[in-house]
Amino acid sequence: MDREKRARENFCAGLNCGQSVFMAFADLTGLTYEQAMKLSAPFGGGMGRMREVCGAVSASMMVLGLLFYDAAHPTNEEKSALYAREQEVASRFRKAFGTIICRKLLEGTGADDAPQAEERTAEYYAKRPCAGLCAGAAKILQGYLAEEGVLPAGGEGKQA
C-alpha cells in the first residue's frame, strides 16, 4: 500500500492528522509503534486542537527531523539544512492546499478549538477535508523523500 493511501486510511480509522501521516512513515524512523503513536499524538487538530499548523504538516516535519538531522553534531549548518528541507515541504503543502494553518484549512466546517475530541461519524468525515489533507501531506513527503533518495521512486521502501 502506498503511503498516501495509508495516511488516508489511518485518519479514517480514527487516528488524528498528525498520527495519520507520521504512522504512514513510521517504518523509516526507527521508533516502535507505541513510541511513534505517542510522539505524534499531540499534533492532531493543529496541535492539541488549537488549530495552528496542520498536524499532517507537523508530522512531515517530525519525519524530516528523524531522517535528516544529525543530533550528534547539532551545528548551525545542520539546523539550517533541516530548516531548508522543512520549508520546502511546507511550501509544497501550501501550494497544494493554500495554507498550512489548520483553522484556515477547516474554514466553513464548523470546527472549533475546544479540547474535546469529536466523535468520528459519517457526518464528521463528510464535512472535514482532513483525510484528503493527510493523504496529500503523505504524497508530498513521499515525493520529497524519493527525490532525496530516501525512498525509491515509487515511494514505498520497507513496509511497517
Side-chain angles (χ1 to χ4, degrees):
M1 175 185 316
D2 68 44
R3 294 172 194 276
E4 178 182 357
K5 184 176 180 185
R6 192 177 312 152
R8 179 185 300 278
E9 289 181 358
N10 286 346
F11 189 82
C12 292
L15 298 186
N16 72 38
C17 49
Q19 289 172 314
S20 296
V21 173
F22 195 76
M23 296 308 293
F25 294 88
D27 60 302
L28 303 176
T29 69
L31 299 173
T32 66
Y33 176 86
E34 183 177 359
Q35 290 169 331
M37 285 288 286
K38 285 182 173 186
L39 178 66
S40 56
F43 296 92
M47 193 176 306
R49 290 192 90 232
M50 292 185 284
R51 308 298 184 209
E52 298 298 338
V53 173
C54 173
V57 175
S58 294
S60 298
M61 300 303 127
M62 289 189 293
V63 171
L64 291 171
L66 286 166
L67 295 179
F68 293 106
Y69 185 73
D70 183 358
H73 304 96
T75 64
N76 282 341
E77 292 79 14
E78 188 69 26
K79 287 189 272 187
S80 297
L82 180 60
Y83 295 159
R85 291 178 185 284
E86 292 170 326
Q87 288 185 14
E88 175 60 27
V89 169
S91 175
R92 293 178 188 192
F93 187 92
R94 192 178 290 112
K95 183 177 180 184
F97 298 105
T99 184
I100 64 170
I101 303 301
C102 176
R103 81 177 59 80
K104 291 182 180 179
L105 292 164
L106 295 181
E107 280 181 354
T109 66
D112 61 33
D113 61 359
Q116 180 62 43
E118 291 182 63
E119 286 295 318
R120 299 289 183 90
T121 63
E123 180 180 281
Y124 173 92
Y125 289 115
K127 71 179 180 179
R128 291 291 179 89
C130 303
L133 295 170
C134 289
K139 181 178 182 178
I140 290 164
L141 182 58
Q142 179 175 301
Y144 181 82
L145 295 178
E147 290 169 18
E148 295 300 312
V150 174
L151 292 173
E156 276 307 293
K158 60 183 178 178
Q159 296 296 307

